[in-house]
Amino acid sequence: MAHVITRPCCNDASCVSVCPVNCIHPTPDEPEFFTAEMLFIDPETCIDCGACIDECPVEAILPDDQLEERDEPYLQINADYYKDHDVEGGLVPPKKAPQLPEGELHVAVIGAGPAAFYAAEELVRKQQVKVDMFDRLPTPYGLVRAGVAPDHAPTKGVEKTFASTAAKRNFSYFLNVEVGKHITHAELIDRYHAVIYAVGAATDKRLGIEGEDLAGSIPATEFVAWYNGHPDYADLEVDLSGERAVVIGNGNVALDVARILVSDPDELAKTDIADHALAALRESNVTEVVLLARRGVAQAAYTNSEFLALGDVDGVDVVIDPEELALDPATESALDDDTLDSTIATKIRLAREFAERPTTDGNRRIVFRFLVSPVEATGDGAIERLTVVRNAYADGTERVAVTPTDERFDLETGLVLRAIGYRGVPVIDLPFDAVKGVVPNTDGRVQASADGDVVAGLYVTGWIKRGATGGIGMNRICGQQTAEAVLRDHVDGVLAAPQTSRDDVADLVADRGARRIDLDGWKAIDAAEKSAGKSDGRRRVKFVSITEFETAAGMEPVQ
């Protein structure tokens, strides 16, 4: 018997270090880790010790004899990885943090998402390191709370890891506190040896087409925040009166958006979806979601696990015309020769299997269209139709590229969701690379400019450090790298001693109107949300207004 990694895999890689025979790959030390969709267990090497099961934060690992029918394809997916990946066994030695000088090290972390927590986790292992985490929202966990789809509850299991970090005596929350408003960058620099910005990528990429800003055209970033109960988007207007919605993009966010739009509201009612979104979806007329992908199926950005999971949504057909599955010549040749990368080969195989499935009358539909691009949105004040051009593979290029053809068609729709990626925005008082959408840095150390020297004591991690790519697993490696840079700089004497004690921070932000939520306050909010959901069998019922959060945290109403 072997163990199998299944759909909830978050690439956190905590399982890798506990495996005594090194049968889980790619490891963080392997180049492919940074592009891998998930981790895989080698069935030939696994000794069935079960150590990985206990370590996995999202319960993605199961013995092969305990798989449910929907997870059985992962037997083949795990095994296929090792057809074209040679790996060596042996225990992976843990990294040892450097011995720090005597005295406390004070670090401020701005942001409370995964990258922030993974950096903090590494830092608070040393008792002499004191970490204060700031976030303008009353709640921690960033996109784990406000980005992960509500019907993907296992993925939210990483919150347990974050909660363990927050419970350390040398960690403090400053939630509901906005840097730049309640405390300035300069004041942070004066009070901490090091300041780490982990502010993510707050906006979406643009299409650059005519009519993009018509009513009914919504960034997926905002739609996802809306159904996840983000306070900033609780009042977002989403027109669900039409029968067809169009999602532009084919990454995991695009699949999440499509799935939520056509899922049975009674099933969503069992999740922690925001109540206002659930009410709107109950009244929705959307029966078909069309996903538009600029390139072909072999270059699809979604992961195989998310694609496969679409087939398990009750009452929903996944519709793919076999003619949509054209491959570029190089991919076709490699597939025929059985030399194609196993992940891409699986992507193609799954799409062909979906294309062969029969449809059911009355079912809602998710329709995949490959090798197409939107060129114009039109309508009288609001979107009524989207004009789309058919693409073709370009010749003579090393990287698969596409060019538009003369073939165009219209899609009638009143709702278009742009899901082509997140993008970082400038951070006050920090340099910014507008082309890449990141703060220029070297291994997390902020540079004064794109090619300038590093600024001592100033760091970044997560999407604002490397761009909006990669999920929880990559954020763990990214956060650890930045934390290691902080510790190394402290050992090397690079960090200047604070000019002012951090002991006044709580009073300072309070004087400027911040209603700080600390660990006890967050625990009270967390307990209240979970209690509200318990009677309906839900994970939690989310609060969506700042007042609700503050009240749940035990604060008196503002007079």
Side-chain angles (χ1 to χ4, degrees), residues 351-407:
R352 289 176 172 176
E353 290 175 359
F354 273 127
E356 294 175 356
R357 289 190 182 188
T359 59
T360 302
D361 289 342
N363 271 7
R364 296 172 296 280
R365 296 155 47 97
I366 296 177
V367 182
F368 283 82
R369 302 295 302 268
F370 294 100
L371 289 167
V372 292
S373 297
V375 293
E376 184 182 24
T378 54
D380 184 11
I383 284 183
E384 297 173 6
R385 70 194 60 82
L386 190 69
T387 302
V388 180
V389 64
R390 171 69 64 180
N391 296 324
Y393 289 112
D395 295 328
T397 57
E398 293 184 6
R399 183 174 180 270
V400 176
V402 295
T403 57
T405 68
D406 294 330
E407 181 184 348

Side-chain angles (χ1 to χ4, degrees), residues 416-453:
V416 174
L417 294 152
R418 311 188 299 270
I420 57 174
Y422 289 69
R423 181 175 174 79
V425 297
V427 180
I428 296 175
D429 296 321
L430 267 65
F432 188 71
D433 185 330
V435 175
K436 297 179 180 178
V438 300
V439 172
N441 68 93
T442 300
D443 296 332
R445 299 175 176 91
V446 172
Q447 298 171 225
S449 62
D451 55 358
D453 294 333

Side-chain angles (χ1 to χ4, degrees), residues 6-11 37-38 70-71 74 77 147-156 227 250-260 291 301-313 318 346-347 350 354 366 368 472:
T6 61
R7 178 170 64 88
C9 178
C10 65
N11 287 38
E37 295 184 349
M38 58 181 288
R70 68 176 185 175
D71 291 325
Y74 288 97
I77 289 172
V148 173
D151 57 349
H152 281 7
T155 304
K156 298 175 187 282
Y227 66 62
N250 69 345
N252 282 351
V253 172
L255 267 59
D256 283 345
V257 166
R259 191 182 63 255
I260 293 298
L291 288 101
Y302 54 71
T303 59
N304 287 328
S305 58
E306 291 299 318
F307 187 42
L308 181 63
L310 289 181
D312 296 326
V313 182
V318 177
T346 299
K347 197 163 301 228
L350 292 176
F354 273 127
I366 296 177
F368 283 82
I472 292 170

Side-chain angles (χ1 to χ4, degrees), residues 32 80-87 341-343:
E32 191 172 336
D80 283 348
Y81 178 82
Y82 293 94
K83 289 181 179 179
D84 56 359
H85 293 83
D86 294 324
V87 295
D341 177 87
S342 59
T343 299

